[in-house]
Amino acid sequence: MISRIKGTNDIIEDSRIWEWLEGKLKNVALNFGFIETRTPIFEATELFNRSVGNETDIVQKEMYTFEDKGNRSITLRPEGTAPVMRAFIENNLLSKGLPQKLFYYGPMFRYERPQAGRMRQFHQFGVELIGSPLPIADAMTILLAIEMLKAIGLDKFKLKINSTGDEKCRPNYVEALKAYYKPFFNDLCDDCRVRYDRNVLRLLDCKKDAKYAENAPKITDYLCHDCKVHFDKLRKYLDEMEIEYEVDPSIVRGLDYYTRTVFEFKYPSLGAQDAIGGGGRYDRLIEELGGPKIPSIGFAFGIERLILALEEEGKLPKAEDLDVYIVSIDEDQRIEALKVASALSRYFKVDVDVMGRNVKGQFSYASKENARYTVVIGEEEIRTGLYTLKNMKTGEQSKVRLSEMIKEINGAK
RNA sequence: GUGGUUGUAGCUCAAUUGGUAGAGUGUCGGACUGUGGAUCCGAAUGUUGUGGGUUCAAGCCCCACCAGCCACCCCA
């Protein structure tokens, strides 16, 4: 038997849940005036090297990269922002004016060791608000995310925010961090000794060396005037919208393109993979990809993780019941049953036997599928044109014409 | 990529020191030939994750691989 690749999943009976969730998220985005972008699932490797960052774990060890038959280096997208920005530049969306409000949905790929909530092919729903440097854009983006979580009914999440500064103030902070960690350098874990040079911010969220992080200098104390004002305004906006959040200096994010605001939505009971969504501002990304200098902000939710969280809260949608099941008494009425099913299917969710089951078997099936009504068709019904309609909850039966049936079933709804 | 743990019917899980692979549940059928849910009866379904090895004999012991889960790591 050939089985699926590690870290991937077949969605079969749960497709109902996925459709529901995708629909909810999409609706909120559309209502806020965002439009959908669909970009290719693979891109030139260079796109991610330049945007996500050469020194990040994603680029260093997690990308599905291969050469195609034309010797081009191709990578299955590990995240959604860089491709959307590439599309923004390539299609000259700037000419349509700012802001551009875009969303995307689809599979992402990262070569990681799978566990619950961490897949090699996973799905993100993401939003990008392109063009505004103002903190009100940050507030709108976060608000949008909160509205989405509300729309799907999720409660027990926590919003954490931080500022990572910009090109003016971050270097100072990096220096301060390096100076702070230097005396402990030999005590740090192997990973952290490497990170010290590559990206010292990452030391802050290392679980092994957490004891050093407590007293480490905080980025919020090193922000330049502009970054500090930006961050303070965002916090004020969030307060005014009564959005609860926590400033968490350990939120640094693993992608290099972030500037200023970063945030994560945590769902603590999910265990180690507890980030259900995250995002931030990327004021220099478009420029770094060869486009104009346009500041932007965005975020993405992980669909698999949202489903895990919804499952915990018992908020997954229930299977939709059948409205009508059409029972045929024997072989002779099969085709009439199918015709009735066809007529009723314009109004209701219907089903009909295709297994050649006897009457009892058909009723059992209707019952198992929670059919609200059954229509029984036998020799007599065909002769008189009066069908037997049974309410499966009360057990009551009546004889009705097809034309009356629709009213009757609707009336009981 | 590192460490740990698990893998037996569709699902949940049994199987003593190595000695005939089982139960519950679900599925299908019957009791009830034009009426479901309850009850009773019956039936089908297994390469015990895969491949090697040890043994008279392996679900059980050994090795490798595969997959899930937990943690690291990383993030969605």
Side-chain angles (χ1 to χ4, degrees):
Chain A
M1 189 183 62
I2 299 168
S3 48
R4 78 177 95 90
I5 302 295
K6 183 206 284 225
T8 65
N9 223 341
D10 299 319
I11 299 158
I12 301 171
E13 296 190 331
D14 287 348
S15 55
R16 185 187 84 248
I17 292 166
W18 284 68
E19 278 166 23
W20 168 83
L21 183 53
E22 292 156 15
K24 289 280 183 188
L25 297 175
K26 195 171 167 176
N27 261 334
V28 177
L30 289 170
N31 284 350
F32 270 83
F34 284 72
I35 60 169
E36 182 167 10
T37 57
R38 301 190 187 192
T39 62
I41 279 173
F42 49 37
E43 296 274 357
T45 302
E46 178 67 10
L47 173 64
F48 302 110
N49 290 348
R50 276 173 55 185
S51 58
V52 174
N54 262 322
E55 301 300 328
T56 59
D57 285 349
I58 289 177
V59 169
Q60 287 282 315
K61 49 189 190 190
E62 294 175 4
M63 294 207 305
Y64 276 92
T65 297
F66 59 95
E67 271 199 6
D68 71 6
K69 292 185 195 295
N71 300 317
R72 290 169 279 253
S73 182
I74 307 288
T75 294
L76 301 184
R77 63 183 182 193
E79 62 103 40
T81 298
V84 171
M85 293 313 123
R86 193 225 80 231
F88 174 88
I89 298 165
E90 190 165 346
N91 295 282
N92 192 23
L93 293 186
L94 178 60
S95 68
K96 301 195 189 305
L98 296 176
Q100 284 292 311
K101 301 193 284 185
L102 306 175
F103 73 88
Y104 60 88
Y105 166 72
M108 306 293 164
F109 305 84
R110 291 184 201 170
Y111 190 86
E112 292 191 274
R113 184 99 164 230
Q115 61 190 79
R118 188 167 73 182
M119 309 290 290
R120 287 185 173 181
Q121 175 175 337
F122 61 103
H123 296 76
Q124 287 189 333
F125 189 101
V127 161
E128 313 291 354
L129 174 47
I130 304 167
S132 171
L134 303 177
I136 195 69
D138 305 38
M140 182 194 189
T141 305
I142 290 173
L143 174 66
L144 179 56
I146 300 260
E147 290 296 334
M148 286 178 173
L149 293 172
K150 272 191 200 160
I152 63 176
L154 212 55
D155 285 328
K156 296 174 193 155
F157 61 85
K158 290 199 165 67
L159 168 62
K160 300 201 170 192
I161 65 170
N162 192 25
S163 175
T164 55
D166 63 9
E167 69 273 21
K168 287 201 292 287
C169 52
R170 199 187 309 187
N172 297 335
Y173 179 59
V174 167
E175 282 312 306
L177 262 191
K178 284 193 171 177
Y180 168 78
Y181 274 106
K182 198 161 192 178
F184 316 124
F185 185 83
N186 289 323
D187 302 326
L188 296 174
C189 69
D190 295 349
D191 290 331
C192 281
R193 286 204 294 274
V194 175
R195 291 181 188 124
Y196 184 87
D197 286 319
R198 278 191 182 162
N199 186 350
V200 73
L201 296 190
R202 297 231 63 85
L203 300 213
L204 293 174
D205 63 357
C206 175
K207 287 175 189 171
K208 287 181 198 143
D209 294 325
K211 56 181 180 291
Y212 300 118
E214 278 176 38
N215 297 316
K218 292 194 172 22
I219 177 82
T220 39
D221 297 330
Y222 284 79
L223 294 178
C224 62
H225 179 260
D226 289 349
C227 283
K228 189 173 180 335
V229 168
H230 186 98
F231 194 49
D232 288 345
K233 276 191 180 167
L234 170 60
R235 293 177 59 177
K236 188 170 146 256
Y237 295 153
L238 292 177
D239 289 339
E240 281 178 18
M241 290 190 292
E242 293 180 352
I243 290 173
E244 282 180 39
Y245 64 90
E246 184 190 325
V247 175
D248 183 345
S250 76
I251 303 282
V252 293
R253 316 284 301 157
L255 292 77
D256 281 354
Y257 54 64
Y258 286 115
T259 51
R260 294 192 171 170
T261 310
V262 290
F263 57 94
E264 276 182 19
F265 290 93
K266 297 273 194 182
Y267 200 87
S269 51
L270 290 187
Q273 267 62 56
D274 66 347
I276 54 175
R281 181 166 273 288
Y282 44 92
D283 289 343
R284 303 179 57 212
L285 175 58
I286 296 174
E287 191 182 7
E288 277 164 13
L289 289 175
K293 187 172 198 308
I294 295 176
S296 300
I297 182 162
F299 71 88
F301 283 124
I303 301 295
E304 284 83 354
R305 291 184 187 178
L306 288 179
I307 289 174
L308 289 175
L310 286 164
E311 199 171 9
E312 268 213 20
E313 291 190 21
K315 292 191 173 147
L316 291 177
K318 291 186 184 72
E320 216 180 296
D321 291 343
L322 205 53
D323 291 313
V324 194
Y325 188 92
I326 295 108
V327 174
S328 46
I329 298 303
D330 56 47
E331 188 65 34
D332 297 341
Q333 295 92 37
R334 288 257 140 81
I335 197 66
E336 181 65 15
L338 196 53
K339 284 182 189 168
V340 171
S342 168
L344 293 177
S345 70
R346 293 166 54 202
Y347 309 93
F348 307 114
K349 193 175 172 191
V350 303
D351 200 2
V352 65
D353 177 60
V354 292
M355 297 300 292
R357 291 197 171 98
N358 61 21
V359 174
K360 182 189 138 76
Q362 293 181 58
F363 267 94
S364 293
Y365 187 84
S367 193
K368 195 188 74 182
E369 298 297 312
N370 280 319
R372 293 166 51 229
Y373 282 90
T374 44
V375 174
V376 185
I377 303 179
E379 199 189 334
E380 189 196 323
E381 281 84 354
I382 289 181
R383 204 177 56 242
T384 60
L386 289 168
Y387 297 94
T388 304
L389 179 67
K390 177 171 182 173
N391 181 322
M392 293 296 277
K393 234 179 215 133
T394 63
E396 284 166 18
Q397 290 191 177
S398 56
K399 299 266 185 177
V400 294
R401 296 193 178 279
L402 188 57
S403 53
E404 298 157 1
M405 210 181 274
I406 294 156
K407 259 189 223 160
E408 185 117 349
I409 296 171
N410 258 334
K413 220 169 186 176

